[in-house]
Amino acid sequence: MTADKPNPAELDLTDVEWVTASGGGGNCVELGRKGDFILVGDSKNPDDKLIYTLDEARTWVQGAKDGVFDALLCP
């Protein structure tokens, strides 16, 4: 069962510690944790966040480690 997700725009994110990955040229991705949710955003659009449950985030990270999404990066 998937937990109900809050609207990230309605969350107080002032206490979130963000981790930023930068590919250079202003291509920065931010990730942070708020309770049982992972937030993902673009540093150029700080008010626009995606929200995932911990299980969804674990699945995404494992898929990335396994190369599941590699074809998406090829022209």
Side-chain angles (χ1 to χ4, degrees):
M1 180 174 160
T2 302
D4 290 331
K5 296 180 195 177
N7 179 343
E10 296 174 357
L11 293 175
D12 176 7
L13 303 179
T14 57
D15 61 339
V16 173
E17 292 186 32
W18 296 98
V19 177
T20 302
S22 176
N27 298 317
C28 300
V29 177
E30 303 177 308
L31 290 99
R33 183 170 176 170
K34 180 73 174 181
D36 290 334
F37 299 100
I38 300 297
L39 296 127
V40 180
D42 176 348
S43 62
K44 292 182 295 264
N45 300 299
D47 295 330
D48 190 18
K49 304 288 188 219
L50 299 173
I51 191 164
Y52 297 95
T53 65
L54 294 178
D55 285 339
E56 289 170 331
R58 282 187 196 102
T59 300
W60 189 90
V61 169
Q62 190 59 54
K65 287 180 179 180
D66 292 344
V68 172
F69 311 114
D70 289 357
L72 297 173
L73 300 176
C74 297

